[in-house]
Amino acid sequence: MGAMKKIGEILIERGKVSERDIERALLAQAEMGDLLGRVLVKLGLVSELDCAQALAEQLDVPLLAAGDYPEEPLRLDALSSDFLANNGVVPVARDGDRVHFAAAVPQDPFIARALTMALDGPVQLALGLESDVSRALKRYLRGDGPDEAEAEGVDSFAGQSDDEFIEHLRDLASEAPVIRLVDQLMHRALDLGASDIHVEPFEDGLHLRYRVDGVLQDQADPPPGSLAPAIASRIKLMAHMNIAERRLPQDGRIMKRVKGHELDLRVSTIPTVHGESIVMRVLDRESIRLSLPDMGFSADTLERYQTLLTRPHGVLLVTGPTGSGKTTTLYASLASLDAEQLKIITVEDPVEYQLDSVNQIQVQAQIELTFARALRSILRQDPDIIMIGEMRDTETAQIGVQSALTGHLVLSTLHTNTAAGALTRLEDMGVERYLITSAVNGVLAQRLVRTLCSSCRVPLELGDAAIERYGLRRFLPEGQRKVFQARGCEHCRDTGYIGRTAIHELFLLDEQLHEVIMGGADATTLHAAARRRGMITLYEDGLRKVVAGQTSLEEVMRVTQDQSSDSMAEPGPAALQQSATA
């Protein structure tokens, strides 16, 4: 079966638009963030009917005419008016157990699943013109009574034109109390040093949470849930999103100066059953540290890592979960190089920070500017060093390895738990083992741990049992038994921690490890072989920071549970106290 035709191709074949029209629409789509068909209609390049007919052909679903809608609405008690209006769907007929619906966006898999679950029976979706679906919804909602429809906040969708609806949303977002609330969100995020702001509507109201030092904290006094649509509209307006689109995920960006800080907020919205859930990633350009010595490296790890950066070619990978500081480490690595003497090109999604004398490319999937496509082009730009934001697919990984083999230093990230796991992940992505041994110089695994508050940390004397159990013996100086743990005070908002530092695990490939890799070893065997060669694991590097008083044993165990042995259950303060000397 052939691949599904794109709607632009169908319209070109039908003679409704030209290739130039599609190019214009794609550029507009990048700004508007809407479906391509809707963009074509809004630009006046095709009629709504022409676009709907092409979409019906693409999806292989029937297109309903205006006369196919029932005069008397088909009532379904299992479905709320709010759900129907928010998702642009209306029931039109019943055929035995099967219920037929008209939908403005029938390709949304969420709608079919939700309807099937709500009705506990089969459903059939057909495509309807947005204007026809809106009129049918207006008839359906009128039967609920104006008070109920207005209370649920759906009458504005059903009874207004698109322009009126957008203006209504803009009015909501422009009210002074809403503007103040959104500004307060950003001010509080800066005060807390938060990395993310979560705005989440639930049945019991609006929840506001901030991720501080990797841990979510609730705001004690969130605004009323009735303001959720207005707050969402305000944020989307600031992020240059389509404020009328509430049924599809969107991404945007806000540049704002707060208390003298230039904040760069990456905004993501997703539709949920109670409204739009919004997460804003906070990037404070003035607080970023782009210096390798400030990244939390232990002295021996930093020396070996900097040696890898001086190599003329090869692949250097940084691994870890989302939010472990991988990209910041890569930025600091690039900042440590002489960009005036070297040609450095990056391919990122997104470009988080702009570096002097570094050519940075923003991936744009909507115009098919992918990692792989950008990489193929930049190899003709005569680069010395290439930074790939993430090796997400087989093609990107293979091009990255080939670039290293042809004389380039390639820096990139992978989502793996251990440094050794990155090598098996490359193999899973289609890179042959002999290419891995030829191209990869090293892998740096990284995690972020919270650092103890110096104002309230408390010492703890450990007994021999605890020292042996947690593997501290080799890192404690002779005669030392003291480590520190968190307590909490006003300076750290009773958390016991202020800020974060990194712990690392550096896997260096040498001839002996090349032999192990070529022997078909899995990640566990590779990890064990690297440890025999002297590799310090994430957990062990964390222990070094525990001994230095930078963090607590509880924090290291929380972050590196997959690194510690099975016999090391996660210790809480009570468990440590029981192991402490009297």
Side-chain angles (χ1 to χ4, degrees):
M1 183 176 178
M4 179 185 292
K5 283 186 178 180
K6 296 180 179 180
I7 190 169
E9 295 174 350
I10 297 173
L11 288 169
I12 291 173
E13 289 177 358
R14 293 184 172 195
K16 302 298 182 183
V17 294
S18 65
E19 291 185 2
R20 176 58 183 158
D21 292 332
I22 296 298
E23 291 174 2
R24 288 172 54 200
L26 287 171
L27 291 173
Q29 185 188 30
E31 297 293 330
M32 301 166 67
D34 207 344
L35 296 173
L36 179 60
R38 289 178 177 172
V39 174
L40 288 165
V41 173
K42 288 178 181 178
L43 293 177
L45 297 174
V46 295
S47 69
E48 185 182 10
L49 179 59
D50 288 336
C51 184
Q53 289 172 341
L55 182 60
E57 178 183 334
Q58 180 194 40
L59 302 175
D60 194 21
V61 297
L63 173 62
L64 297 185
D68 295 330
Y69 294 79
E71 285 295 326
E72 288 297 323
L74 176 62
R75 297 288 167 189
L76 299 172
D77 295 335
L79 296 175
S80 71
S81 300
D82 194 12
F83 173 85
L84 295 175
N86 284 338
N87 291 281
V89 60
V90 63
V92 293
R94 186 190 295 272
D95 180 13
D97 293 334
R98 185 181 298 273
V99 180
H100 295 260
F101 291 86
V105 190
Q107 65 267 39
D108 186 351
F110 164 78
I111 296 177
R113 289 199 302 268
L115 290 172
T116 301
M117 292 176 63
L119 298 176
D120 195 22
V123 300
Q124 182 71 47
L125 290 180
L127 175 63
L129 297 179
E130 286 193 40
S131 54
D132 292 340
V133 172
S134 183
R135 279 193 295 270
L137 276 171
K138 185 175 181 180
R139 288 197 297 269
Y140 191 100
L141 296 174
R142 192 180 295 127
D144 290 342
D147 294 339
E148 180 180 345
E150 186 176 351
E152 292 186 359
V154 297
D155 194 51
S156 60
F157 176 85
Q160 296 179 335
S161 69
D162 287 347
D163 290 340
E164 290 171 335
F165 178 52
I166 293 173
E167 283 305 312
H168 176 62
L169 289 176
R170 289 184 185 276
D171 290 341
L172 281 176
S174 301
E175 293 175 356
V178 175
I179 294 175
R180 283 198 300 270
L181 274 172
V182 174
D183 286 347
Q184 287 170 5
L185 286 179
M186 299 175 186
H187 281 71
R188 181 163 176 77
L190 186 63
D191 291 340
L192 293 173
S195 61
D196 301 88
I197 307 170
H198 295 247
V199 183
E200 304 164 310
F202 289 102
E203 189 174 4
D204 61 346
L206 189 65
H207 293 197
L208 296 181
R209 298 195 288 176
Y210 300 87
R211 189 175 294 280
V212 182
D213 294 335
V215 179
L216 282 172
Q217 298 181 6
D218 286 311
Q219 180 170 314
D221 52 345
S226 59
L227 287 177
I231 291 173
S233 295
R234 173 63 183 170
I235 293 172
K236 290 165 69 177
L237 199 62
M238 295 174 69
H240 305 288
M241 295 179 178
N242 182 358
I243 63 172
E245 180 56 76
R246 299 177 294 171
R247 299 167 298 179
L248 294 171
Q250 295 189 67
D251 294 298
R253 181 178 182 180
I254 299 173
M255 300 290 292
K256 187 173 178 64
R257 193 164 186 82
V258 177
K259 295 184 176 180
H261 289 251
E262 195 70 39
L263 293 188
D264 184 353
L265 297 103
R266 303 300 167 88
V267 185
S268 170
T269 71
I270 58 169
T272 71
V273 292
H274 298 293
E276 286 184 289
S277 177
I278 300 176
V279 174
M280 290 180 278
R281 170 63 60 88
V282 183
L283 303 173
D284 185 355
R285 292 178 175 273
E286 297 183 17
S287 67
I288 186 67
R289 297 176 301 176
L290 294 180
S291 169
L292 279 176
D294 294 336
M295 299 300 295
F297 281 94
S298 299
D300 55 344
T301 304
L302 177 60
E303 183 180 355
R304 293 197 298 269
Y305 182 74
Q306 288 178 320
T307 300
L308 292 178
L309 286 175
T310 61
R311 297 208 181 166
H313 54 80
V315 177
L316 176 55
L317 297 171
V318 181
T319 74
T322 300
S324 60
K326 300 186 300 295
T327 303
T328 304
T329 296
L330 285 183
Y331 277 139
S333 302
L334 293 179
S336 70
L337 301 172
D338 187 356
E340 297 293 336
Q341 300 295 322
L342 297 168
K343 175 80 169 184
I344 303 175
I345 305 180
T346 74
V347 187
E348 307 170 60
D349 185 21
V351 174
E352 295 188 5
Y353 297 100
Q354 295 179 16
L355 303 174
D356 292 337
S357 302
V358 175
N359 299 275
Q360 296 173 268
I361 301 172
Q362 167 75 56
V363 169
Q364 299 188 60
Q366 65 271 19
I367 58 172
E368 298 183 359
L369 180 58
T370 61
F371 279 106
R373 185 172 181 179
L375 277 174
R376 285 194 297 269
S377 298
I378 66 177
L379 289 176
R380 295 190 290 271
Q381 291 279 314
D382 187 31
D384 296 298
I385 298 172
I386 301 168
M387 194 269 268
I388 307 170
E390 182 184 346
M391 287 190 177
R392 296 181 179 176
D393 53 62
T394 296
E395 189 175 9
T396 303
Q398 291 177 338
I399 296 174
V401 169
Q402 290 295 336
S403 301
L405 293 173
T406 53
H408 304 89
L409 180 62
V410 178
L411 311 181
S412 188
T413 69
L414 271 179
H415 286 283
T416 61
N417 290 329
T418 64
L423 304 178
T424 55
R425 176 65 56 82
L426 286 177
E427 186 181 16
D428 292 341
M429 295 170 74
V431 181
E432 298 290 344
R433 283 183 177 254
Y434 73 91
L435 292 177
I436 294 174
T437 58
S438 301
V440 179
N441 295 333
V443 184
L444 180 76
Q446 177 171 308
R447 299 287 191 281
L448 295 178
V449 294
R450 293 180 292 173
T451 52
L452 287 165
C453 173
S454 58
S455 299
C456 66
R457 66 177 188 172
V458 292
L460 179 67
E461 290 284 336
L462 295 179
D464 290 338
I467 292 173
E468 294 298 334
R469 181 184 182 192
Y470 300 115
L472 282 163
R473 177 73 66 190
R474 61 182 289 201
F475 302 109
L476 282 169
E478 185 67 29
Q480 180 179 330
R481 293 176 174 271
K482 183 177 69 174
V483 296
F484 290 89
Q485 63 179 0
R487 185 177 66 181
C489 66
E490 60 180 11
H491 294 96
C492 58
R493 296 182 176 87
D494 292 318
T495 63
Y497 300 93
I498 294 180
R500 288 187 291 179
T501 189
I503 57 176
H504 302 94
E505 172 182 299
L506 184 58
F507 185 109
L508 293 173
L509 276 76
D510 56 21
E511 291 186 5
Q512 292 190 22
L513 287 175
H514 287 169
E515 293 176 2
V516 177
I517 294 170
M518 292 304 295
D522 59 14
T524 303
T525 305
L526 286 173
H527 184 79
R531 290 201 64 187
R532 290 194 298 270
R533 300 286 295 158
M535 182 182 76
I536 298 293
T537 67
L538 283 168
Y539 176 68
E540 291 167 342
D541 194 40
L543 292 182
R544 295 198 287 191
K545 290 179 170 57
V546 170
V547 171
Q550 297 179 35
T551 190
S552 68
L553 189 55
E554 297 98 323
E555 179 68 6
V556 171
M557 292 295 292
R558 179 184 72 84
V559 172
T560 64
Q561 289 181 48
D562 58 325
Q563 292 285 303
S564 54
S565 66
D566 294 337
S567 63
M568 296 179 185
E570 182 177 355
L576 286 176
Q577 290 286 358
Q578 291 173 4
S579 301
T581 56

